[in-house]
Amino acid sequence: MPVSTHEELDNRCPVPTPSSDDAFAEVKAKVDLVKVVQEHVRLTKRNKDFWGLCPFHQEDSPSFKVNPQMQSWYCFGCERSGDVFTFVELIEKTDKRGALQLLAERAGVELKKLSPEQKERSDSRRRLLAMLKLAAQFYEYVLWSSPAGEKGRRLLESRMVSEETARRFQLGYAPAGRGFAEYLRAKKKSLQDAHDAGLMRSDGTDFFAERLVIPIRDERGQPLAFTARTVRPDEQRKYINSRETAAYIKGRVIFGLDLARDEITKQGHAVLMEGQFDVITAHHHGVTNAVASSGTALTDDQVRLLKRFTDELLLVFDADRAGRAAAFKAIELASGHQIRTRVATVTAPAKDPDEFLRAAGAQAAEKWEELAAAAPSGWEFWIKDSLTGLNPGNPNQLELAASRAREVLEKIPDAAVRDTYRERAAGWIGVQPHLLTAQASPSPAKRERVGERGGTESNGKGGLAARLTGKKLTVGRYLLQLLAVRPVAFERVRTKLTPDELDEEDRGIYVRMLETYERGGVSGLETELAGYPPEEQDLIRRAWAAPPPSVDDEVAVELAERIRLDHMKGLQSGIIRELSEAESGKDSERVARLEAKARELARAINELERRG
Ligand SMILES: [Zn+2]
């Protein structure tokens, strides 16, 4: 039973008293840390340990290690560590007692010593869930087996949703009047619970009366709430939703995930739609990896939930302004969790996926394939959308286009990804990529100060990676070019960087230039250049002819620190690799030594990153 379901997540809800240490020990003995972690992190076994991407800090290569023997975990990146309780505490954003509660439920350990008040809250949540389940069954029964359900059945027919699909989603119909209350009375169930679950008004009438009800279920299929569509043409409010309760926090549910999860894993991506009905129609037409963010803009919690199943989202939002805005938000959120996005746009006259698929009828699957295949990546979609209506051939609009593209580019968290899109965007607009860097603005005054190449002044932090356009110019090369143009920057750089921190190919020329500078000062290079190896002469001459984007001391220092950081990260992954070897060889002394080294490096890296 996965730990991160809404009812369990809710830390306003039952919290056991810190009971005795026995409870912790008993729970710990019954749960497997690896399994708990695996619900949040994809782990790969290396020797006897498991490795994955740390869920607590951003990284591209795994430095998060789980030791199954010790039932402990450690991250070499952010240096967090602990046991199964600390892991659950951090990942579920709860406290120690909350973690105990979640894990105890999972392990089937009954926690004694709940205060009466806590026990009451725990029970009431359980009752709420049972009531929601019962309501879903009741509504489903009414829809298919009672004359009152006729209106609901007709609505489904008009939407071309088959009974089979409707049953998969457990759709139902809430009759007018007090139908559910009477049913509960007959079954001797509490009306108060139904009221607490938001199913009933205080006069006993059904909250969802005369509506087709759609259960919102968690990823295990437990109903947590309902959304309901009216069947009355005169009703102003088309949809009404359950309010949030102890069982339901809407920003944490992904609609359809219980039905789509296997297909999502199989296909490697989830299709994220806006509306519940879009999802139902999609499943009906065989797009069974479709889900929806359930009545809200996508939230961080929802992305985290999806991340457990996939690294890619195909976003299908309505073709209007609000739909586009929702897509942009989803692109940004997802990329913050290292989830790739693509954006499929339904083609007119359809306004949403539901209309699109219904209009396609028998060809729905085929048309869907086409739509999905044509979907550009999220960032491409966003950048191109920002350029809509602008003509880069017109100088005034060119500047506007560049600034709009820059705005989107700056939202891309990963530097390498950002560089790639910068190059592509430059191509779409028809400008040099460095004009799309963070602080770039094509003002002529600045251009003169830097030289003939239209680079710009830097004001320090943030824009460094941005200024490295594409992979051709490495950080090391950038620094060397900058030093060739501005040797006085050696004064600051030499204290920040030792030659062995540079890549091998940059080391020789760096040392030679430094020596030249020490001997001959700022003009030394011109005098001594003839004595340099030809390829080094070439690099320096080219830098003189076409200076790199930003030439100043601050940038030089930034570059030096970046090189040092990259160097340390390289060392760190080497040590982590060595470590897993040492562990498999059971060389405990070497393991301890390497672990100490890794920790020391992690500290230094954190320190540098904090400053940067
Ligand atoms: Zn970490």
Side-chain angles (χ1 to χ4, degrees):
M1 171 169 103
V3 268
S4 64
T5 59
H6 323 281
E7 70 270 27
E8 291 158 349
L9 267 168
D10 188 351
N11 42 23
R12 290 175 306 182
C13 267
V15 170
T17 43
S19 26
S20 56
D21 291 342
D22 298 351
F24 283 98
E26 191 184 350
V27 168
K28 201 167 176 175
K30 286 194 178 167
V31 293
D32 179 9
L33 173 64
V34 177
K35 290 220 178 78
V36 173
V37 172
Q38 264 168 338
E39 280 160 15
H40 304 273
V41 181
R42 226 156 305 151
L43 292 176
T44 316
K45 192 158 195 225
R46 256 197 295 175
N47 299 318
K48 63 183 173 62
D49 294 326
F50 291 84
W51 293 82
L53 294 175
C54 177
F56 306 123
H57 84 279
Q58 277 207 12
E59 61 177 2
D60 305 323
S61 59
S63 51
F64 179 85
K65 183 184 85 162
V66 180
N67 181 329
Q69 272 82 39
M70 301 302 294
Q71 288 287 299
S72 66
W73 60 275
Y74 180 74
C75 172
F76 288 91
C78 63
E79 287 194 272
R80 287 186 180 86
S81 65
D83 60 7
V84 70
F85 294 109
T86 27
F87 181 81
V88 171
E89 245 184 276
L90 284 169
I91 201 102
E92 303 290 6
K93 300 195 181 79
T94 179
D95 57 9
K96 197 169 182 194
R97 291 184 290 167
L100 176 63
Q101 167 77 18
L102 292 175
L103 290 166
E105 275 182 25
R106 175 196 179 100
V109 174
E110 187 141 355
L111 293 173
K112 304 283 187 304
K113 299 182 181 175
L114 288 178
S115 73
E117 188 195 58
Q118 286 162 339
K119 181 129 180 29
E120 159 62 28
R121 267 187 293 167
S122 161
D123 289 349
S124 85
R125 190 187 48 162
R126 234 188 315 259
R127 285 203 307 271
L128 222 55
L129 292 174
M131 179 56 66
L132 288 157
K133 209 170 191 170
L134 192 64
Q137 286 162 0
F138 171 76
Y139 297 141
E140 188 182 18
Y141 174 83
V142 174
L143 175 64
W144 300 111
S145 313
S146 123
E150 170 67 23
K151 284 179 192 158
R153 295 197 294 273
R154 260 191 278 140
L155 176 65
L156 285 178
E157 251 166 60
S158 74
R159 289 286 193 131
M160 295 195 256
V161 175
S162 68
E163 178 172 347
E164 191 203 340
T165 303
R167 284 197 183 273
R168 242 186 288 155
F169 284 89
Q170 215 185 352
L171 304 187
Y173 185 77
R178 297 182 170 77
F180 188 49
E182 280 155 24
Y183 171 78
L184 291 177
R185 266 195 207 100
K187 293 206 98 182
K188 299 200 163 46
K189 299 277 182 190
S190 154
L191 264 62
Q192 185 59 44
D193 288 349
H195 187 259
D196 292 346
L199 299 167
M200 204 173 282
R201 298 179 203 280
S202 45
D203 63 359
T205 53
D206 202 305
F207 183 71
F208 298 112
E210 293 187 87
R211 287 171 182 271
L212 183 82
V213 288
I214 305 171
I216 296 170
R217 301 183 294 199
D218 69 10
E219 72 274 19
R220 293 176 300 158
Q222 159 72 49
L224 304 177
F226 297 95
T227 182
R229 190 195 187 282
T230 185
V231 295
R232 295 172 53 151
D234 59 334
E235 171 64 58
Q236 293 298 307
R237 292 193 302 161
K238 230 179 182 183
Y239 282 93
I240 58 173
N241 302 299
S242 295
R243 60 183 163 79
E244 297 203 329
T245 66
Y248 175 52
I249 295 168
K250 57 181 174 181
R252 287 182 180 167
V253 195
I254 290 286
F255 178 79
L257 189 55
D258 54 326
L259 299 175
R261 53 189 289 176
D262 291 344
E263 192 64 17
I264 288 172
T265 316
K266 209 165 110 193
Q267 296 213 19
H269 74 273
V271 177
L272 185 67
M273 299 178 159
E274 267 187 287
Q276 282 102 354
F277 240 104
D278 294 325
V279 172
I280 293 168
T281 310
H283 279 247
H284 176 73
H285 286 102
V287 185
T288 50
N289 56 340
V291 294
S293 63
S294 185
T296 54
L298 193 65
T299 68
D300 223 42
D301 283 329
Q302 289 170 330
V303 175
R304 265 201 317 142
L305 178 57
L306 286 167
K307 175 81 180 173
R308 278 164 48 189
F309 302 95
T310 187
D311 289 324
E312 186 179 324
L313 297 179
L314 177 63
L315 308 170
V316 194
F317 285 93
D318 299 355
D320 57 6
R321 181 185 287 270
R324 286 210 314 279
F328 298 156
K329 179 164 188 223
I331 293 163
E332 199 174 357
L333 255 182
S335 71
H337 290 263
Q338 285 90 44
I339 294 181
R340 295 181 304 279
T341 50
R342 293 190 302 130
V343 180
T345 311
V346 292
T347 39
K351 289 193 305 294
D352 54 39
D354 177 44
E355 283 185 8
F356 176 83
L357 289 164
R358 280 193 287 140
Q363 277 101 53
E366 203 180 307
K367 295 264 184 207
W368 179 262
E369 278 301 312
E370 279 171 31
L371 192 74
S377 77
W379 294 115
E380 174 173 346
F381 172 81
W382 196 347
I383 294 167
K384 285 190 169 164
D385 187 85
S386 77
L387 302 176
T388 310
L390 292 177
N391 171 14
N394 171 330
N396 294 321
Q397 297 195 359
L398 173 73
E399 202 163 324
L400 186 56
S403 98
R404 289 212 183 139
R406 266 199 304 272
E407 234 169 78
V408 183
L409 286 166
E410 284 314 302
K411 295 180 196 295
I412 304 179
D414 185 284
V417 176
R418 198 186 318 127
D419 289 345
T420 308
Y421 281 102
R422 190 190 320 286
E423 294 234 319
R424 298 182 62 190
W428 298 329
I429 303 173
V431 293
Q432 290 297 313
H434 67 80
L435 285 176
L436 300 182
T437 56
Q439 279 91 25
S441 80
S443 110
K446 284 183 176 177
R447 214 176 291 177
E448 276 160 26
R449 267 161 69 192
V450 178
E452 58 270 58
R453 273 284 287 236
T456 58
E457 197 72 4
S458 143
N459 48 15
K461 311 264 148 72
L464 167 58
R467 266 172 264 127
L468 299 173
T469 52
K471 284 174 193 105
K472 286 159 278 172
L473 186 57
T474 63
V475 189
R477 287 282 132 143
Y478 189 168
L479 179 63
L480 291 172
Q481 291 183 9
L482 195 157
L483 288 168
V485 179
R486 190 177 168 79
V488 71
F490 264 119
E491 283 306 322
R492 309 254 323 257
V493 168
R494 60 196 299 178
T495 62
K496 300 279 177 196
L497 190 68
T498 60
D500 61 353
E501 287 168 329
L502 280 156
D503 284 349
E504 216 177 314
E505 50 170 7
D506 298 334
R507 214 170 285 156
I509 178 170
Y510 176 81
V511 172
R512 218 179 317 278
M513 280 166 68
L514 180 59
E515 285 166 1
T516 297
Y517 173 71
E518 280 171 348
R519 273 193 298 270
V522 286
S523 57
L525 199 52
E526 279 164 55
T527 339
E528 294 188 9
L529 186 64
Y532 277 47
E535 66 278 5
E536 294 180 6
Q537 287 191 33
D538 189 47
L539 186 146
I540 293 164
R541 288 218 170 84
R542 270 192 288 146
W544 286 347
S550 308
V551 179
D552 78 21
D553 292 359
E554 280 305 315
V555 175
V557 169
E558 254 185 84
L559 292 167
E561 284 178 343
R562 168 75 174 272
I563 291 165
R564 169 168 281 182
L565 187 62
D566 287 347
H567 177 71
M568 286 199 284
K569 283 183 170 170
L571 286 180
Q572 188 185 36
S573 25
I575 287 174
I576 287 172
R577 265 196 307 277
E578 246 186 275
L579 192 55
S580 58
E581 271 171 42
E583 282 176 337
S584 66
K586 300 198 170 59
D587 183 348
S588 58
E589 207 174 290
R590 187 161 157 235
V591 168
R593 206 172 55 241
L594 286 167
E595 275 182 347
K597 233 187 198 171
R599 258 194 298 275
E600 197 182 300
L601 262 173
R603 228 166 275 137
I605 287 170
N606 279 343
E607 175 66 19
L608 259 183
E609 280 181 333
R610 240 199 320 278
R611 275 193 280 145

